[in-house]
Amino acid sequence: MRRNHDQPSVSLSWPPGTLLGCLSSKARASLLALGTTVSVKPGDHILREGDTGSHLILLREAITKVTVNMTDGRQALLAIRVSGDVVGEISALNDTPRTATVTTCGVGLISVIHKRDWHPFLLDQPDAALALARTTAARFRWANQRRVDFTAYPAKIRLARVLAELSTTHGEITGAGRTVGVTLTQPELASLCGAAEPTVEKALRELRQAGVIQTGYRQIIVHDVAQLQRVGHLGDSDRTWTASTN
């Protein structure tokens, strides 16, 4: 990582459900003015599980993966965080060790904001404090919904939900369809779905044979988002990765 003084415009569009997407223009400008802007490259660990620190990180232009170490030595992928999100806020608020590792998925820009700047900002911007509480609550709500999904639906439906939500929220339109927007290994995808790798591999093959998706090296393109949503029993076609924020 390296410091970068060329900061992105305050007028950028931020995904709904992210902290920046929930703030007023005034509070957003104030938050973007805090901290030190740093350039990141793919694979940078911007936060590490178990480390201590009172700073949080604002993802100005970045996509990251949130992982935790399991007792058997594997890593579990818990979530994806995108531009407009903050990460590390729990430790920054209560001075506890980091509960997860956050790794960048591509080149981007982040802001490292220390407690000495973060706390006065929240005191000065009560609406921002409420927005932070809402987004944090939405993350817990989404995590709880995933636990319900894991017990209520088979792996193929869970996989379809994950791919539909990723492609809707983070994907880009291509000639062949829509990407999922995030580079994921098969173990990481299995971790997100809460399924074994062979099970996810079988479900991917079935979706591919049905013409719903196309797979390549660490790449998935969705040919038919509507069909994928039907496979995932997503009755509301507007549901996205951050739908639990509504």
Side-chain angles (χ1 to χ4, degrees), residues 136-166:
T136 302
R139 292 179 179 182
F140 286 117
R141 182 180 176 186
W142 181 85
N144 287 336
Q145 182 59 49
R146 283 189 66 214
R147 294 188 182 96
V148 173
D149 287 351
F150 289 170
T151 57
Y153 297 107
K156 184 176 178 179
I157 293 177
R158 300 200 302 268
L159 172 65
R161 288 188 169 211
V162 167
L163 294 180
E165 293 171 344
L166 283 175

PDB file of all heavy atoms in Angstrom, residues 136-166:
ATOM      1  N   THR A 136     -24.409  -1.292  10.180  1.00  0.00           N
ATOM      2  CA  THR A 136     -23.871  -2.375  11.002  1.00  0.00           C
ATOM      3  C   THR A 136     -24.966  -3.375  11.358  1.00  0.00           C
ATOM      4  O   THR A 136     -24.759  -4.599  11.286  1.00  0.00           O
ATOM      5  CB  THR A 136     -23.234  -1.814  12.280  1.00  0.00           C
ATOM      6  OG1 THR A 136     -22.196  -0.885  11.939  1.00  0.00           O
ATOM      7  CG2 THR A 136     -22.637  -2.923  13.124  1.00  0.00           C
ATOM      8  N   ALA A 137     -26.150  -2.859  11.708  1.00  0.00           N
ATOM      9  CA  ALA A 137     -27.272  -3.742  12.016  1.00  0.00           C
ATOM     10  C   ALA A 137     -27.670  -4.561  10.791  1.00  0.00           C
ATOM     11  O   ALA A 137     -28.009  -5.742  10.907  1.00  0.00           O
ATOM     12  CB  ALA A 137     -28.460  -2.914  12.512  1.00  0.00           C
ATOM     13  N   ALA A 138     -27.612  -3.931   9.608  1.00  0.00           N
ATOM     14  CA  ALA A 138     -27.970  -4.634   8.376  1.00  0.00           C
ATOM     15  C   ALA A 138     -27.015  -5.791   8.112  1.00  0.00           C
ATOM     16  O   ALA A 138     -27.424  -6.839   7.604  1.00  0.00           O
ATOM     17  CB  ALA A 138     -27.965  -3.666   7.199  1.00  0.00           C
ATOM     18  N   ARG A 139     -25.742  -5.615   8.443  1.00  0.00           N
ATOM     19  CA  ARG A 139     -24.771  -6.696   8.249  1.00  0.00           C
ATOM     20  C   ARG A 139     -25.103  -7.885   9.136  1.00  0.00           C
ATOM     21  O   ARG A 139     -25.036  -9.039   8.695  1.00  0.00           O
ATOM     22  CB  ARG A 139     -23.358  -6.188   8.540  1.00  0.00           C
ATOM     23  CG  ARG A 139     -22.855  -5.170   7.533  1.00  0.00           C
ATOM     24  CD  ARG A 139     -21.463  -4.689   7.889  1.00  0.00           C
ATOM     25  NE  ARG A 139     -20.974  -3.722   6.917  1.00  0.00           N
ATOM     26  CZ  ARG A 139     -19.765  -3.176   6.963  1.00  0.00           C
ATOM     27  NH1 ARG A 139     -18.925  -3.513   7.944  1.00  0.00           N
ATOM     28  NH2 ARG A 139     -19.390  -2.299   6.043  1.00  0.00           N
ATOM     29  N   PHE A 140     -25.457  -7.614  10.386  1.00  0.00           N
ATOM     30  CA  PHE A 140     -25.834  -8.710  11.288  1.00  0.00           C
ATOM     31  C   PHE A 140     -27.117  -9.380  10.810  1.00  0.00           C
ATOM     32  O   PHE A 140     -27.260 -10.597  10.873  1.00  0.00           O
ATOM     33  CB  PHE A 140     -25.995  -8.197  12.714  1.00  0.00           C
ATOM     34  CG  PHE A 140     -24.703  -7.882  13.406  1.00  0.00           C
ATOM     35  CD1 PHE A 140     -24.400  -6.595  13.808  1.00  0.00           C
ATOM     36  CD2 PHE A 140     -23.761  -8.872  13.660  1.00  0.00           C
ATOM     37  CE1 PHE A 140     -23.190  -6.295  14.430  1.00  0.00           C
ATOM     38  CE2 PHE A 140     -22.557  -8.593  14.288  1.00  0.00           C
ATOM     39  CZ  PHE A 140     -22.272  -7.300  14.676  1.00  0.00           C
ATOM     40  N   ARG A 141     -28.035  -8.560  10.312  1.00  0.00           N
ATOM     41  CA  ARG A 141     -29.300  -9.100   9.813  1.00  0.00           C
ATOM     42  C   ARG A 141     -29.046  -9.996   8.600  1.00  0.00           C
ATOM     43  O   ARG A 141     -29.636 -11.065   8.484  1.00  0.00           O
ATOM     44  CB  ARG A 141     -30.225  -7.939   9.445  1.00  0.00           C
ATOM     45  CG  ARG A 141     -31.597  -8.347   8.965  1.00  0.00           C
ATOM     46  CD  ARG A 141     -32.411  -7.117   8.635  1.00  0.00           C
ATOM     47  NE  ARG A 141     -33.710  -7.433   8.078  1.00  0.00           N
ATOM     48  CZ  ARG A 141     -34.547  -6.519   7.607  1.00  0.00           C
ATOM     49  NH1 ARG A 141     -34.201  -5.242   7.636  1.00  0.00           N
ATOM     50  NH2 ARG A 141     -35.709  -6.866   7.102  1.00  0.00           N
ATOM     51  N   TRP A 142     -28.164  -9.544   7.698  1.00  0.00           N
ATOM     52  CA  TRP A 142     -27.833 -10.349   6.527  1.00  0.00           C
ATOM     53  C   TRP A 142     -27.172 -11.662   6.944  1.00  0.00           C
ATOM     54  O   TRP A 142     -27.474 -12.723   6.389  1.00  0.00           O
ATOM     55  CB  TRP A 142     -26.912  -9.566   5.603  1.00  0.00           C
ATOM     56  CG  TRP A 142     -26.537 -10.322   4.363  1.00  0.00           C
ATOM     57  CD1 TRP A 142     -27.238 -10.398   3.194  1.00  0.00           C
ATOM     58  CD2 TRP A 142     -25.362 -11.118   4.180  1.00  0.00           C
ATOM     59  NE1 TRP A 142     -26.576 -11.198   2.289  1.00  0.00           N
ATOM     60  CE2 TRP A 142     -25.434 -11.655   2.862  1.00  0.00           C
ATOM     61  CE3 TRP A 142     -24.265 -11.423   4.982  1.00  0.00           C
ATOM     62  CZ2 TRP A 142     -24.433 -12.484   2.353  1.00  0.00           C
ATOM     63  CZ3 TRP A 142     -23.284 -12.254   4.466  1.00  0.00           C
ATOM     64  CH2 TRP A 142     -23.365 -12.770   3.176  1.00  0.00           C
ATOM     65  N   ALA A 143     -26.271 -11.579   7.932  1.00  0.00           N
ATOM     66  CA  ALA A 143     -25.598 -12.788   8.408  1.00  0.00           C
ATOM     67  C   ALA A 143     -26.603 -13.768   8.996  1.00  0.00           C
ATOM     68  O   ALA A 143     -26.506 -14.989   8.775  1.00  0.00           O
ATOM     69  CB  ALA A 143     -24.546 -12.418   9.453  1.00  0.00           C
ATOM     70  N   ASN A 144     -27.588 -13.247   9.731  1.00  0.00           N
ATOM     71  CA  ASN A 144     -28.615 -14.117  10.296  1.00  0.00           C
ATOM     72  C   ASN A 144     -29.449 -14.754   9.187  1.00  0.00           C
ATOM     73  O   ASN A 144     -29.831 -15.934   9.276  1.00  0.00           O
ATOM     74  CB  ASN A 144     -29.517 -13.333  11.249  1.00  0.00           C
ATOM     75  CG  ASN A 144     -28.821 -12.994  12.554  1.00  0.00           C
ATOM     76  OD1 ASN A 144     -27.880 -13.668  12.954  1.00  0.00           O
ATOM     77  ND2 ASN A 144     -29.269 -11.933  13.213  1.00  0.00           N
ATOM     78  N   GLN A 145     -29.750 -13.985   8.127  1.00  0.00           N
ATOM     79  CA  GLN A 145     -30.526 -14.530   7.022  1.00  0.00           C
ATOM     80  C   GLN A 145     -29.760 -15.642   6.319  1.00  0.00           C
ATOM     81  O   GLN A 145     -30.340 -16.640   5.887  1.00  0.00           O
ATOM     82  CB  GLN A 145     -30.875 -13.420   6.025  1.00  0.00           C
ATOM     83  CG  GLN A 145     -31.740 -13.885   4.853  1.00  0.00           C
ATOM     84  CD  GLN A 145     -33.063 -14.478   5.321  1.00  0.00           C
ATOM     85  OE1 GLN A 145     -33.775 -13.879   6.134  1.00  0.00           O
ATOM     86  NE2 GLN A 145     -33.389 -15.673   4.836  1.00  0.00           N
ATOM     87  N   ARG A 146     -28.444 -15.471   6.208  1.00  0.00           N
ATOM     88  CA  ARG A 146     -27.630 -16.521   5.588  1.00  0.00           C
ATOM     89  C   ARG A 146     -27.714 -17.805   6.396  1.00  0.00           C
ATOM     90  O   ARG A 146     -27.766 -18.905   5.848  1.00  0.00           O
ATOM     91  CB  ARG A 146     -26.175 -16.070   5.476  1.00  0.00           C
ATOM     92  CG  ARG A 146     -25.909 -15.097   4.342  1.00  0.00           C
ATOM     93  CD  ARG A 146     -24.426 -14.882   4.172  1.00  0.00           C
ATOM     94  NE  ARG A 146     -23.766 -16.092   3.739  1.00  0.00           N
ATOM     95  CZ  ARG A 146     -22.530 -16.440   4.101  1.00  0.00           C
ATOM     96  NH1 ARG A 146     -21.828 -15.689   4.920  1.00  0.00           N
ATOM     97  NH2 ARG A 146     -21.982 -17.552   3.657  1.00  0.00           N
ATOM     98  N   ARG A 147     -27.721 -17.686   7.730  1.00  0.00           N
ATOM     99  CA  ARG A 147     -27.832 -18.880   8.562  1.00  0.00           C
ATOM    100  C   ARG A 147     -29.161 -19.592   8.301  1.00  0.00           C
ATOM    101  O   ARG A 147     -29.231 -20.820   8.280  1.00  0.00           O
ATOM    102  CB  ARG A 147     -27.711 -18.510  10.044  1.00  0.00           C
ATOM    103  CG  ARG A 147     -26.335 -17.987  10.443  1.00  0.00           C
ATOM    104  CD  ARG A 147     -26.210 -17.822  11.942  1.00  0.00           C
ATOM    105  NE  ARG A 147     -24.917 -17.282  12.315  1.00  0.00           N
ATOM    106  CZ  ARG A 147     -24.677 -15.994  12.542  1.00  0.00           C
ATOM    107  NH1 ARG A 147     -25.676 -15.126  12.449  1.00  0.00           N
ATOM    108  NH2 ARG A 147     -23.481 -15.566  12.879  1.00  0.00           N
ATOM    109  N   VAL A 148     -30.229 -18.790   8.109  1.00  0.00           N
ATOM    110  CA  VAL A 148     -31.526 -19.378   7.784  1.00  0.00           C
ATOM    111  C   VAL A 148     -31.463 -20.068   6.427  1.00  0.00           C
ATOM    112  O   VAL A 148     -31.954 -21.185   6.254  1.00  0.00           O
ATOM    113  CB  VAL A 148     -32.627 -18.288   7.781  1.00  0.00           C
ATOM    114  CG1 VAL A 148     -33.943 -18.866   7.273  1.00  0.00           C
ATOM    115  CG2 VAL A 148     -32.807 -17.714   9.172  1.00  0.00           C
ATOM    116  N   ASP A 149     -30.848 -19.395   5.444  1.00  0.00           N
ATOM    117  CA  ASP A 149     -30.714 -19.980   4.107  1.00  0.00           C
ATOM    118  C   ASP A 149     -29.989 -21.315   4.167  1.00  0.00           C
ATOM    119  O   ASP A 149     -30.348 -22.270   3.474  1.00  0.00           O
ATOM    120  CB  ASP A 149     -29.952 -19.033   3.185  1.00  0.00           C
ATOM    121  CG  ASP A 149     -30.784 -17.822   2.773  1.00  0.00           C
ATOM    122  OD1 ASP A 149     -31.996 -17.809   3.058  1.00  0.00           O
ATOM    123  OD2 ASP A 149     -30.210 -16.900   2.179  1.00  0.00           O
ATOM    124  N   PHE A 150     -28.933 -21.388   4.989  1.00  0.00           N
ATOM    125  CA  PHE A 150     -28.116 -22.597   5.059  1.00  0.00           C
ATOM    126  C   PHE A 150     -28.915 -23.792   5.571  1.00  0.00           C
ATOM    127  O   PHE A 150     -28.649 -24.931   5.192  1.00  0.00           O
ATOM    128  CB  PHE A 150     -26.902 -22.375   5.958  1.00  0.00           C
ATOM    129  CG  PHE A 150     -25.874 -21.449   5.358  1.00  0.00           C
ATOM    130  CD1 PHE A 150     -24.821 -20.988   6.129  1.00  0.00           C
ATOM    131  CD2 PHE A 150     -25.955 -21.040   4.042  1.00  0.00           C
ATOM    132  CE1 PHE A 150     -23.864 -20.138   5.589  1.00  0.00           C
ATOM    133  CE2 PHE A 150     -25.015 -20.198   3.490  1.00  0.00           C
ATOM    134  CZ  PHE A 150     -23.963 -19.747   4.259  1.00  0.00           C
ATOM    135  N   THR A 151     -29.895 -23.526   6.424  1.00  0.00           N
ATOM    136  CA  THR A 151     -30.688 -24.624   6.971  1.00  0.00           C
ATOM    137  C   THR A 151     -31.954 -24.883   6.155  1.00  0.00           C
ATOM    138  O   THR A 151     -32.491 -25.997   6.178  1.00  0.00           O
ATOM    139  CB  THR A 151     -31.092 -24.328   8.428  1.00  0.00           C
ATOM    140  OG1 THR A 151     -31.824 -23.088   8.480  1.00  0.00           O
ATOM    141  CG2 THR A 151     -29.867 -24.223   9.319  1.00  0.00           C
ATOM    142  N   ALA A 152     -32.428 -23.864   5.419  1.00  0.00           N
ATOM    143  CA  ALA A 152     -33.707 -23.989   4.724  1.00  0.00           C
ATOM    144  C   ALA A 152     -33.581 -24.414   3.272  1.00  0.00           C
ATOM    145  O   ALA A 152     -34.544 -24.945   2.707  1.00  0.00           O
ATOM    146  CB  ALA A 152     -34.470 -22.666   4.802  1.00  0.00           C
ATOM    147  N   TYR A 153     -32.416 -24.170   2.652  1.00  0.00           N
ATOM    148  CA  TYR A 153     -32.295 -24.405   1.217  1.00  0.00           C
ATOM    149  C   TYR A 153     -31.100 -25.296   0.900  1.00  0.00           C
ATOM    150  O   TYR A 153     -30.069 -25.230   1.576  1.00  0.00           O
ATOM    151  CB  TYR A 153     -32.129 -23.082   0.473  1.00  0.00           C
ATOM    152  CG  TYR A 153     -33.305 -22.153   0.603  1.00  0.00           C
ATOM    153  CD1 TYR A 153     -33.215 -21.004   1.397  1.00  0.00           C
ATOM    154  CD2 TYR A 153     -34.502 -22.408  -0.068  1.00  0.00           C
ATOM    155  CE1 TYR A 153     -34.295 -20.135   1.521  1.00  0.00           C
ATOM    156  CE2 TYR A 153     -35.581 -21.540   0.053  1.00  0.00           C
ATOM    157  CZ  TYR A 153     -35.482 -20.425   0.850  1.00  0.00           C
ATOM    158  OH  TYR A 153     -36.543 -19.571   0.979  1.00  0.00           O
ATOM    159  N   PRO A 154     -31.212 -26.083  -0.161  1.00  0.00           N
ATOM    160  CA  PRO A 154     -30.066 -26.887  -0.603  1.00  0.00           C
ATOM    161  C   PRO A 154     -28.992 -26.011  -1.226  1.00  0.00           C
ATOM    162  O   PRO A 154     -29.216 -24.830  -1.530  1.00  0.00           O
ATOM    163  CB  PRO A 154     -30.674 -27.845  -1.630  1.00  0.00           C
ATOM    164  CG  PRO A 154     -31.910 -27.154  -2.113  1.00  0.00           C
ATOM    165  CD  PRO A 154     -32.420 -26.365  -0.935  1.00  0.00           C
ATOM    166  N   ALA A 155     -27.820 -26.604  -1.455  1.00  0.00           N
ATOM    167  CA  ALA A 155     -26.650 -25.839  -1.893  1.00  0.00           C
ATOM    168  C   ALA A 155     -26.867 -25.133  -3.223  1.00  0.00           C
ATOM    169  O   ALA A 155     -26.397 -24.010  -3.415  1.00  0.00           O
ATOM    170  CB  ALA A 155     -25.437 -26.762  -1.980  1.00  0.00           C
ATOM    171  N   LYS A 156     -27.576 -25.763  -4.162  1.00  0.00           N
ATOM    172  CA  LYS A 156     -27.764 -25.141  -5.475  1.00  0.00           C
ATOM    173  C   LYS A 156     -28.529 -23.832  -5.365  1.00  0.00           C
ATOM    174  O   LYS A 156     -28.213 -22.845  -6.035  1.00  0.00           O
ATOM    175  CB  LYS A 156     -28.492 -26.105  -6.418  1.00  0.00           C
ATOM    176  CG  LYS A 156     -28.642 -25.569  -7.833  1.00  0.00           C
ATOM    177  CD  LYS A 156     -29.288 -26.605  -8.739  1.00  0.00           C
ATOM    178  CE  LYS A 156     -29.490 -26.064 -10.146  1.00  0.00           C
ATOM    179  NZ  LYS A 156     -30.090 -27.089 -11.034  1.00  0.00           N
ATOM    180  N   ILE A 157     -29.538 -23.791  -4.513  1.00  0.00           N
ATOM    181  CA  ILE A 157     -30.309 -22.567  -4.318  1.00  0.00           C
ATOM    182  C   ILE A 157     -29.454 -21.505  -3.640  1.00  0.00           C
ATOM    183  O   ILE A 157     -29.475 -20.326  -4.009  1.00  0.00           O
ATOM    184  CB  ILE A 157     -31.585 -22.853  -3.498  1.00  0.00           C
ATOM    185  CG1 ILE A 157     -32.535 -23.728  -4.317  1.00  0.00           C
ATOM    186  CG2 ILE A 157     -32.268 -21.556  -3.073  1.00  0.00           C
ATOM    187  CD1 ILE A 157     -33.796 -24.124  -3.575  1.00  0.00           C
ATOM    188  N   ARG A 158     -28.655 -21.917  -2.643  1.00  0.00           N
ATOM    189  CA  ARG A 158     -27.783 -20.965  -1.962  1.00  0.00           C
ATOM    190  C   ARG A 158     -26.764 -20.386  -2.943  1.00  0.00           C
ATOM    191  O   ARG A 158     -26.478 -19.186  -2.935  1.00  0.00           O
ATOM    192  CB  ARG A 158     -27.077 -21.643  -0.783  1.00  0.00           C
ATOM    193  CG  ARG A 158     -28.037 -22.186   0.260  1.00  0.00           C
ATOM    194  CD  ARG A 158     -27.347 -22.404   1.603  1.00  0.00           C
ATOM    195  NE  ARG A 158     -26.219 -23.304   1.560  1.00  0.00           N
ATOM    196  CZ  ARG A 158     -26.291 -24.623   1.781  1.00  0.00           C
ATOM    197  NH1 ARG A 158     -27.476 -25.186   2.022  1.00  0.00           N
ATOM    198  NH2 ARG A 158     -25.216 -25.366   1.765  1.00  0.00           N
ATOM    199  N   LEU A 159     -26.201 -21.243  -3.808  1.00  0.00           N
ATOM    200  CA  LEU A 159     -25.246 -20.780  -4.796  1.00  0.00           C
ATOM    201  C   LEU A 159     -25.905 -19.791  -5.751  1.00  0.00           C
ATOM    202  O   LEU A 159     -25.330 -18.731  -6.058  1.00  0.00           O
ATOM    203  CB  LEU A 159     -24.687 -21.963  -5.583  1.00  0.00           C
ATOM    204  CG  LEU A 159     -23.807 -21.612  -6.794  1.00  0.00           C
ATOM    205  CD1 LEU A 159     -22.533 -20.910  -6.353  1.00  0.00           C
ATOM    206  CD2 LEU A 159     -23.478 -22.877  -7.596  1.00  0.00           C
ATOM    207  N   ALA A 160     -27.102 -20.104  -6.224  1.00  0.00           N
ATOM    208  CA  ALA A 160     -27.803 -19.205  -7.135  1.00  0.00           C
ATOM    209  C   ALA A 160     -28.056 -17.855  -6.481  1.00  0.00           C
ATOM    210  O   ALA A 160     -27.930 -16.800  -7.124  1.00  0.00           O
ATOM    211  CB  ALA A 160     -29.122 -19.838  -7.580  1.00  0.00           C
ATOM    212  N   ARG A 161     -28.388 -17.855  -5.201  1.00  0.00           N
ATOM    213  CA  ARG A 161     -28.625 -16.594  -4.490  1.00  0.00           C
ATOM    214  C   ARG A 161     -27.352 -15.762  -4.415  1.00  0.00           C
ATOM    215  O   ARG A 161     -27.363 -14.548  -4.667  1.00  0.00           O
ATOM    216  CB  ARG A 161     -29.145 -16.885  -3.076  1.00  0.00           C
ATOM    217  CG  ARG A 161     -30.567 -17.398  -3.056  1.00  0.00           C
ATOM    218  CD  ARG A 161     -31.121 -17.502  -1.650  1.00  0.00           C
ATOM    219  NE  ARG A 161     -32.542 -17.753  -1.695  1.00  0.00           N
ATOM    220  CZ  ARG A 161     -33.402 -17.331  -0.777  1.00  0.00           C
ATOM    221  NH1 ARG A 161     -32.974 -16.637   0.269  1.00  0.00           N
ATOM    222  NH2 ARG A 161     -34.689 -17.598  -0.890  1.00  0.00           N
ATOM    223  N   VAL A 162     -26.257 -16.413  -4.069  1.00  0.00           N
ATOM    224  CA  VAL A 162     -24.989 -15.697  -3.961  1.00  0.00           C
ATOM    225  C   VAL A 162     -24.587 -15.101  -5.308  1.00  0.00           C
ATOM    226  O   VAL A 162     -24.233 -13.922  -5.404  1.00  0.00           O
ATOM    227  CB  VAL A 162     -23.884 -16.625  -3.424  1.00  0.00           C
ATOM    228  CG1 VAL A 162     -22.507 -15.993  -3.603  1.00  0.00           C
ATOM    229  CG2 VAL A 162     -24.123 -16.933  -1.949  1.00  0.00           C
ATOM    230  N   LEU A 163     -24.654 -15.894  -6.375  1.00  0.00           N
ATOM    231  CA  LEU A 163     -24.249 -15.412  -7.697  1.00  0.00           C
ATOM    232  C   LEU A 163     -25.172 -14.316  -8.190  1.00  0.00           C
ATOM    233  O   LEU A 163     -24.720 -13.332  -8.795  1.00  0.00           O
ATOM    234  CB  LEU A 163     -24.226 -16.576  -8.688  1.00  0.00           C
ATOM    235  CG  LEU A 163     -23.185 -17.674  -8.439  1.00  0.00           C
ATOM    236  CD1 LEU A 163     -23.300 -18.758  -9.504  1.00  0.00           C
ATOM    237  CD2 LEU A 163     -21.779 -17.093  -8.420  1.00  0.00           C
ATOM    238  N   ALA A 164     -26.475 -14.447  -7.954  1.00  0.00           N
ATOM    239  CA  ALA A 164     -27.422 -13.427  -8.395  1.00  0.00           C
ATOM    240  C   ALA A 164     -27.171 -12.106  -7.683  1.00  0.00           C
ATOM    241  O   ALA A 164     -27.185 -11.036  -8.295  1.00  0.00           O
ATOM    242  CB  ALA A 164     -28.860 -13.904  -8.151  1.00  0.00           C
ATOM    243  N   GLU A 165     -26.920 -12.188  -6.383  1.00  0.00           N
ATOM    244  CA  GLU A 165     -26.713 -10.972  -5.609  1.00  0.00           C
ATOM    245  C   GLU A 165     -25.383 -10.308  -5.957  1.00  0.00           C
ATOM    246  O   GLU A 165     -25.284  -9.088  -6.068  1.00  0.00           O
ATOM    247  CB  GLU A 165     -26.818 -11.288  -4.113  1.00  0.00           C
ATOM    248  CG  GLU A 165     -28.244 -11.693  -3.725  1.00  0.00           C
ATOM    249  CD  GLU A 165     -28.366 -12.212  -2.311  1.00  0.00           C
ATOM    250  OE1 GLU A 165     -27.328 -12.556  -1.706  1.00  0.00           O
ATOM    251  OE2 GLU A 165     -29.497 -12.305  -1.814  1.00  0.00           O
ATOM    252  N   LEU A 166     -24.345 -11.114  -6.132  1.00  0.00           N
ATOM    253  CA  LEU A 166     -23.044 -10.556  -6.509  1.00  0.00           C
ATOM    254  C   LEU A 166     -23.114  -9.884  -7.880  1.00  0.00           C
ATOM    255  O   LEU A 166     -22.619  -8.768  -8.064  1.00  0.00           O
ATOM    256  CB  LEU A 166     -21.976 -11.646  -6.523  1.00  0.00           C
ATOM    257  CG  LEU A 166     -21.421 -12.112  -5.184  1.00  0.00           C
ATOM    258  CD1 LEU A 166     -20.471 -13.283  -5.382  1.00  0.00           C
ATOM    259  CD2 LEU A 166     -20.715 -10.978  -4.457  1.00  0.00           C
TER     260      LEU A 166
END
